[in-house]
């Protein structure tokens, strides 16, 4: 199945749209961190190496707690304008904002130069193999110079002050456009004038992110899941591993050496599609885990899922059972992503 260009209009990256609430910005998930100690602030909360980011480069990272659990996943960009641009899940907005505000106050009381600004913008995600081609018609910047996980501020189809980031949660090439909320509808209409662009909801995005083996917070990762258990060890910066200076490092770092009881794995099966909360069993019929996300793959014409099993059952090719509609069916542990990703990088 060929993937087409789609536009997901939403209020927060990877999370469910928030209703309009007095006093709460519609975006619900975008902030700027200012000040000379902005990196110090973020590195006191996340596992990634923020200091190494080049101007306008971003990275996926994780808020963690002292028990090693994941509080949320987020993208942090080191902008050329001298601040950090942070996008986290709209569904976790309240706790994420409180977490950052508390740390800002703590550092300010210690004399640090740091501040937080909530960004009142909406997000439009333009995703698909020809997304950049569609967007290029409306911007003066050369998008060929904007690789995956980098961003730039530009005018987009006549709307000024947009931050265009080469990213998305679909496994495809694409961009996320942070646009002033008052101009979001106008920009969406401008993009939809191109017949290549189709509106797509979060359910469509969900099947794409699952094919790409990407986690959904609250389903596949949560505050009771560590980065190692969630197969997200790659988010741990090398320098941060050595320093062990992020929340939960005392729990997480030993797990890198194999001391982990369970792991997130990919699963493929035929028959009825696997869904969240479906029990995973050994071939002997013992329940050993649970499916966290599952759906029919439009591209593969097979059923794909991810879930957690004991480490000894996590090797690709391991045959297991999944209970679907009170019937047991065979599933095979599979490598992820299920569908190869197509992120744009400079050659």
């Amino acid at each position: 199945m060929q993937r087409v260009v789609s536009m997901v209009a939403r209020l927060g990256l990877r999370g469910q749209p928030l209703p309009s609430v007095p006093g709460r910005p519609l975006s619900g998930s975008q902030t700027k961190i200012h000040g000379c100690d902005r990196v110090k602030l973020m590195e006191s909360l996340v596992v990634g190496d923020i200091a190494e980011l080049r101007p306008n480069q971003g990275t996926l990272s994780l808020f963690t707690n002292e028990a090693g659990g994941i509080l949320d996943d987020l993208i942090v960009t080191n902008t050329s304008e001298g601040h950090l641009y942070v996008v986290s899940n709209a569904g976790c907005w309240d706790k994420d904002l409180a977490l950052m505000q508390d740390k800002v106050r703590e550092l300010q009381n210690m004399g640090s130069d740091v501040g937080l600004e909530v960004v009142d913008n909406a997000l439009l995600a333009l995703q698909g193999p020809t997304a950049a081609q569609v967007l290029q018609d409306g911007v003066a910047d050369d998008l060929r110079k904007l690789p995956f996980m980098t961003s730039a501020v530009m005018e987009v189809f006549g709307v000024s002050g947009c931050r265009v980031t080469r990213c998305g949660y679909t496994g495809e090439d694409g961009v996320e456009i942070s646009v002033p909320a008052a101009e979001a509808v106008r920009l969406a209409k401008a993009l939809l004038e191109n017949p290549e662009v189709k509106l797509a909801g979060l359910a469509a995005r969900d099947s794409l992110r699952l094919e790409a083996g990407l986690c959904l917070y609250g389903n596949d990762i949560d505050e009771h899941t560590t980065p190692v258990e969630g197969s997200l060890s790659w988010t741990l910066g090398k320098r941060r591993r050595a320093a062990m200076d992020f929340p939960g490092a005392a729990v997480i770092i030993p797990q890198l050496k194999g001391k982990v009881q369970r792991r997130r794995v990919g699963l493929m099966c035929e028959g009825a599609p696997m869904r969240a909360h479906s029990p995973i069993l050994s071939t002997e019929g013992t329940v050993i885990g649970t499916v966290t996300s599952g759906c029919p793959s439009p591209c593969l014409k097979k059923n794909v899922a991810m879930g957690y099993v004991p480490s000894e059952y996590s090797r690709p090719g391991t045959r297991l059972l999944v209970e679907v509609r009170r019937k047991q069916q065979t599933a095979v542990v599979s490598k992820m992503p299920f569908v190869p990703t197509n992120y744009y990088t400079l050659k």
Side-chain angles (χ1 to χ4, degrees):
M1 177 178 177
Q2 184 179 7
R3 295 186 175 199
V4 299
V5 180
S6 63
M7 181 172 65
V8 182
R10 63 188 191 279
L11 304 180
L13 175 64
R14 302 188 298 282
Q16 297 296 322
L18 287 173
S20 178
V21 178
R24 171 184 285 172
L26 286 178
S27 65
S29 60
Q30 300 174 69
T31 53
K32 294 179 181 179
I33 308 298
H34 299 279
C36 297
D37 294 312
R38 58 190 181 276
V39 171
K40 178 181 178 181
L41 168 76
M42 288 311 301
E43 289 197 347
S44 71
L45 298 173
V46 304
V47 301
D49 191 338
I50 308 304
E52 74 170 357
L53 294 175
R54 299 184 299 274
N56 292 323
Q57 181 186 16
T59 185
L60 177 71
S61 196
L62 307 170
F63 287 126
T64 49
N65 59 28
E66 292 300 333
I70 301 170
L71 297 173
D72 197 10
D73 54 330
L74 67 156
I75 291 178
V76 182
T77 299
N78 177 29
T79 73
S80 59
E81 293 82 35
H83 63 266
L84 298 178
Y85 170 59
V86 180
V87 183
S88 59
N89 281 299
C92 296
W93 167 241
D94 290 333
K95 71 174 184 180
D96 289 350
L97 181 61
L99 180 70
M100 291 186 286
Q101 288 177 328
D102 287 347
K103 184 58 68 170
V104 166
R105 284 191 289 267
E106 177 185 328
L107 292 181
Q108 286 177 341
N109 290 336
M110 297 170 60
S112 296
D113 176 22
V114 65
L116 182 149
E117 174 190 354
V118 174
V119 181
D120 187 13
N121 279 12
L123 279 175
L124 297 178
L126 185 69
Q127 302 285 296
T130 58
Q133 178 182 327
V134 169
L135 187 64
Q136 189 64 74
D137 291 339
V139 301
D141 298 60
D142 186 355
L143 296 178
R144 293 174 299 181
K145 298 178 181 179
L146 191 73
F148 181 61
M149 292 306 292
T150 63
S151 72
V153 175
M154 62 186 74
E155 181 177 295
V156 181
F157 286 98
V159 178
S160 60
C162 295
R163 176 168 291 279
V164 176
T165 304
R166 198 75 172 253
C167 71
Y169 221 58
T170 63
E172 280 292 344
D173 186 22
V175 296
E176 291 198 332
I177 308 169
S178 176
V179 53
E183 300 290 344
V185 173
R186 180 160 74 94
L187 178 55
K189 288 181 177 179
L191 290 166
L192 287 167
E193 288 180 1
N194 190 316
E196 285 283 308
V197 180
K198 307 295 182 184
L199 279 175
L202 287 168
R205 191 283 316 266
D206 196 51
S207 66
L208 291 169
R209 70 92 190 166
L210 183 50
E211 288 180 333
L214 302 173
C215 295
L216 177 65
Y217 190 81
N219 283 43
D220 310 300
I221 51 176
D222 57 30
E223 61 186 40
H224 303 294
T225 307
T226 71
V228 180
E229 292 173 331
S231 300
L232 295 170
S233 300
W234 59 270
T235 63
L236 306 173
K238 183 178 180 180
R239 174 178 60 84
R240 308 299 308 283
R241 296 186 190 199
M244 293 186 64
D245 59 351
F246 55 86
V251 175
I252 295 168
I253 297 303
Q255 291 183 346
L256 292 172
K257 301 177 181 179
K259 298 178 181 179
V260 62
Q261 298 299 313
R262 61 172 189 150
R263 291 187 182 274
R264 177 174 63 95
V265 298
L267 298 167
M268 295 184 68
C269 78
E270 297 180 356
M274 299 169 282
R275 299 294 187 182
H277 310 300
S278 296
I280 303 172
L281 304 88
S282 68
T283 52
E284 290 77 28
T286 302
V287 175
I288 59 171
T290 305
V291 172
T292 54
S293 291
C295 72
S297 165
C299 291
L300 299 177
K301 306 300 183 185
K302 295 181 179 179
N303 300 317
V304 298
M306 59 177 70
Y308 285 84
V309 298
S311 293
E312 59 266 30
Y313 293 94
S314 64
R315 185 183 298 275
T318 301
R319 298 179 70 83
L320 299 171
L321 299 173
V322 176
E323 185 176 307
V324 182
R325 298 173 186 171
R326 299 182 180 179
K327 294 183 179 180
Q328 295 179 2
Q329 57 193 47
T330 300
V332 179
V333 176
S334 305
K335 291 183 179 181
M336 294 184 286
F338 300 105
V339 175
T341 56
N342 190 34
Y343 304 126
Y344 175 74
T345 57
L346 297 179
K347 298 179 180 179

